[in-house]
Amino acid sequence: MKRTLLIYFCRILHLPFLLLATIVSFGQPIYKFNPVDEFVRDHSKVAFPAPAQLGSFYNSDFSVIQGSFNLHNSSRSMLELVDDNIQQQNRRLIEEDLAPSPGRSIEHGKNAEIEMDLNEDVPELGRTEWLKKTAVYRRTFDDLLSLNPDSFSITRAEYDIENAYLDNKVPYDKFLEAVKTRASLVKQILKRSGLKPNSDLALNYGIQQLYRHANIFYDRATRRRISIPALMYDFNDYNGERDLVSVYTVKLLATGKGQCLSLPRLYLMIAEQLGAKAWLSLAPQHSYIQFIDGKGRLMNFETTNGNLASTSWLAQSGFINARAVKNRLYLDTLSQRQLYAQCLADFLVGYLRKFGYDGFADQVKQRILIVNPHNVQALIIDANLKKQIALGAIAAAGRPKPEDLPKYPEAYRSYLDMKDAMDKIDDLGYQDMPEAAYKKWLRSMEQEKKKQANQELRARMQRQIDQLKLSKLSLQHRPKG
């Protein structure tokens, strides 16, 4: 009992901080952008380029991505090794946390203050003013609740999420037009390639060309042929730390550059417009696309570099363990219901970034966990909140020794709530991925393109596309009568 209590008492300082910053923003929206994001400096002037302007997108050379990964281990043995490594990492973290640390009592004091702020249902504003300030989010939540979790428009949901964060400044018709322009480009790509837009394989192939290289778009309104650069990964504020809009599709549609959140979401939105089947899949701090090839096999498409990816490479980020795979947390297709919950989680993150945690935020979090009890974002938010409450209660009790904590009922109850929230995350197999590790993994993408296994995936895909072209030609030359 004492050992377990001591370990969890020390783990307080090691809960993943992926979303903690969003909880403690307390009404301090961040609107900082680099020059490529000029379009959102003035939120009253959010606009998307007309087709004739798409050729002037800011672009950069993706060849800066370098590095390599060892892919010789099989997925199963590798995952078992990762499980062992994670246990060793966790033990090291606990040992480090047990050592005396200067300033730890100060850190606890700061967290206690945070906990007090979190318990303020309406931070520093009168209720009427606060309701007015958050009205867009409340209306948007009602709209999202009206959607069927098992059958909804990802385009509309994504728009609602981002428009709420941008204070209702994004016209839906312009947003939808920008998505449809990309869908029209896919149809033109397929026509020039001799493919009919009537198979999922052809449609996914066409969408993927938007991420692989520049494409020619014929603008019927101006009768001009425009070279549109490939959709590219933006390394600048790639996790939305400086501004959440950096990872939104509005930014991607307006600049041609995005991240591992916006790039796959736009893929799904274009697929929706074309009637193609594709699914979002997750990896630590990452998301990508899965689709079915002509033989009925699931294929992975990495939107950050326009490349097919092997499951073994995706798994070797070093932060996917056997438990996470068994629980289908990573490397699996999200159902519509899971995707809907993920959209609600993104909506919640935006609200937290602007307004902090309050009763409305708690309502959204509870809804997410009703739809999908295993949504990691919502579970982390819940655990971070309970962590702050536990720290405050422990501080109020005079910071007793771990073995004495049961003597303080309120602090002990808060500690147990925190422990239960942490256990839910651990039981799923979640492992936080440090920023340095994620950057290293990103750098491995370009080298992954050159590996034999990846080349075989591309060759297999191309053979199936060639077969589609031949089948179209055979139909065209079939004798009539």
Side-chain angles (χ1 to χ4, degrees):
M1 169 65 181
K2 288 184 179 180
R3 176 176 173 80
T4 303
L5 183 59
L6 183 62
I7 288 174
Y8 274 92
F9 193 81
C10 293
R11 280 187 57 208
I12 290 175
L13 297 181
H14 288 292
L15 187 68
F17 280 84
L18 176 64
L19 298 173
L20 180 57
T22 65
I23 295 180
V24 296
S25 295
F26 304 126
Q28 297 295 325
I30 305 171
Y31 297 134
K32 299 177 182 177
F33 283 86
N34 65 75
V36 75
D37 299 328
E38 184 69 31
F39 83 106
V40 287
R41 284 188 184 279
D42 182 351
H43 287 180
S44 66
K45 298 179 180 178
V46 175
F48 305 104
Q53 299 172 310
L54 289 174
S56 60
F57 272 0
Y58 176 92
N59 212 343
S60 65
D61 187 358
F62 199 76
S63 64
V64 297
I65 297 181
Q66 299 172 347
S68 63
F69 253 78
N70 183 355
L71 300 178
H72 294 303
N73 293 325
S74 70
S75 294
R76 182 172 180 178
S77 60
M78 180 275 299
L79 290 170
E80 291 170 349
L81 288 172
V82 169
D83 255 339
D84 293 338
N85 290 337
I86 288 172
Q87 290 175 7
Q88 293 173 11
Q89 291 169 12
N90 288 341
R91 282 196 292 270
R92 285 197 299 271
L93 287 174
I94 291 170
E95 289 169 0
E96 291 169 5
D97 211 19
L98 287 173
S101 173
R104 178 163 297 174
S105 61
I106 296 176
E107 179 68 20
H108 279 218
K110 289 181 179 178
N111 284 325
E113 293 173 4
I114 290 172
E115 182 270 328
M116 291 175 66
D117 286 337
L118 287 172
N119 282 337
E120 295 289 336
D121 191 45
V122 184
E124 301 178 5
L125 291 174
R127 180 167 180 78
T128 301
E129 184 180 352
W130 185 250
L131 290 174
K132 181 179 180 181
K133 193 177 184 68
T134 60
V136 172
Y137 263 94
R138 295 173 187 276
R139 289 198 303 269
T140 301
F141 186 49
D142 288 340
D143 291 340
L144 291 171
L145 288 178
S146 71
L147 301 177
N148 180 353
D150 298 308
S151 178
F152 69 98
S153 168
I154 183 62
T155 305
R156 182 71 209 197
E158 195 66 33
Y159 165 81
D160 286 341
I161 294 163
E162 300 178 12
N163 183 54
Y165 189 78
L166 289 166
D167 301 320
N168 200 28
K169 300 283 175 54
V170 184
Y172 179 66
D173 59 338
K174 299 297 183 184
F175 180 85
L176 182 59
E177 181 182 354
V179 177
K180 287 186 173 181
T181 296
R182 294 288 180 177
S184 296
L185 175 56
V186 172
K187 292 179 180 179
Q188 293 184 17
I189 291 170
L190 293 180
K191 185 174 182 180
R192 285 193 294 267
S193 301
L195 293 166
K196 287 187 175 182
N198 59 357
S199 77
D200 284 325
L201 178 62
L203 290 169
N204 278 286
Y205 170 81
I207 298 171
Q208 290 164 18
Q209 305 316 300
L210 303 183
Y211 296 81
R212 285 179 172 154
H213 49 69
N215 294 279
I216 300 299
F217 177 78
Y218 177 69
D219 185 4
R220 291 181 175 83
T222 62
R223 297 185 179 181
R224 290 177 54 195
R225 292 169 60 84
I226 306 154
S227 178
I228 301 179
L231 297 168
M232 302 291 285
Y233 189 86
D234 190 353
F235 289 89
N236 197 358
D237 195 23
Y238 66 88
N239 58 2
E241 182 178 350
R242 293 199 301 273
D243 194 310
L244 201 56
V245 184
S246 295
V247 299
Y248 278 176
T249 60
V250 290
K251 185 252 188 178
L252 173 58
L253 287 167
T255 68
K257 303 196 70 165
Q259 289 80 11
C260 66
L261 192 151
S262 60
L263 287 163
R265 294 296 176 88
L266 181 57
Y267 189 113
L268 292 181
M269 290 155 60
I270 296 170
E272 181 177 67
Q273 299 304 315
L274 296 168
K277 292 181 180 178
W279 295 269
L280 188 71
S281 296
L282 303 178
Q285 313 284 13
H286 192 66
S287 61
Y288 61 99
I289 292 295
Q290 288 193 330
F291 67 100
I292 296 178
D293 71 2
K295 302 293 184 180
R297 295 169 295 201
L298 273 176
M299 301 280 283
N300 308 310
F301 182 71
E302 184 51 70
T303 57
T304 55
N305 71 347
N307 193 40
L308 295 173
S310 65
T311 300
S312 61
W313 174 74
L314 286 163
Q316 287 203 7
S317 68
F319 292 85
I320 298 178
N321 56 57
R323 187 186 300 174
V325 174
K326 181 180 179 181
N327 289 325
R328 306 178 72 174
L329 182 64
Y330 298 132
L331 308 181
D332 196 10
T333 56
L334 294 190
S335 67
Q336 278 288 95
R337 177 169 287 266
Q338 290 170 321
L339 179 61
Y340 175 78
Q342 195 65 33
C343 288
L344 288 181
D346 294 340
F347 174 77
L348 175 56
V349 168
Y351 184 87
L352 294 175
R353 179 70 68 91
K354 294 188 77 170
F355 303 114
Y357 203 98
D358 61 5
F360 174 74
D362 193 71
Q363 181 184 356
V364 178
K365 181 198 69 180
Q366 294 300 333
R367 180 58 184 170
I368 295 167
L369 294 175
I370 288 172
V371 175
N372 179 17
H374 295 161
N375 183 273
V376 172
Q377 276 184 292
L379 289 174
I380 290 175
I381 289 172
D382 184 59
N384 274 323
L385 175 64
K386 288 176 180 176
K387 168 192 166 183
Q388 303 308 319
I389 294 173
L391 286 171
I394 291 169
R399 300 188 182 89
K401 294 179 180 179
E403 59 267 25
D404 293 333
L405 194 58
K407 299 176 182 177
Y408 302 87
E410 183 177 350
Y412 187 53
R413 184 172 58 254
S414 298
Y415 153 77
L416 291 177
D417 288 344
M418 178 203 70
K419 177 182 177 297
D420 180 63
M422 287 181 171
D423 285 344
K424 288 178 181 178
I425 297 170
D426 285 348
D427 290 345
L428 287 176
Y430 174 85
Q431 173 73 5
D432 193 30
M433 189 176 189
E435 183 178 358
Y438 180 67
K439 286 182 177 178
K440 181 180 179 181
W441 185 65
L442 281 178
R443 289 195 297 270
S444 74
M445 289 181 184
E446 197 66 15
Q447 289 297 318
E448 173 64 13
K449 281 185 179 181
K450 302 173 184 178
K451 292 189 178 291
Q452 182 178 354
N454 190 272
Q455 292 175 358
E456 290 175 356
L457 287 175
R458 294 201 303 270
R460 189 173 75 189
M461 177 79 166
Q462 190 57 52
R463 286 194 298 270
Q464 294 181 15
I465 293 299
D466 291 341
Q467 289 174 359
L468 285 178
K469 293 178 181 179
L470 288 174
S471 64
K472 179 183 177 182
L473 287 173
S474 64
L475 288 173
Q476 289 176 343
H477 293 91
R478 181 179 295 176
K480 295 181 180 180

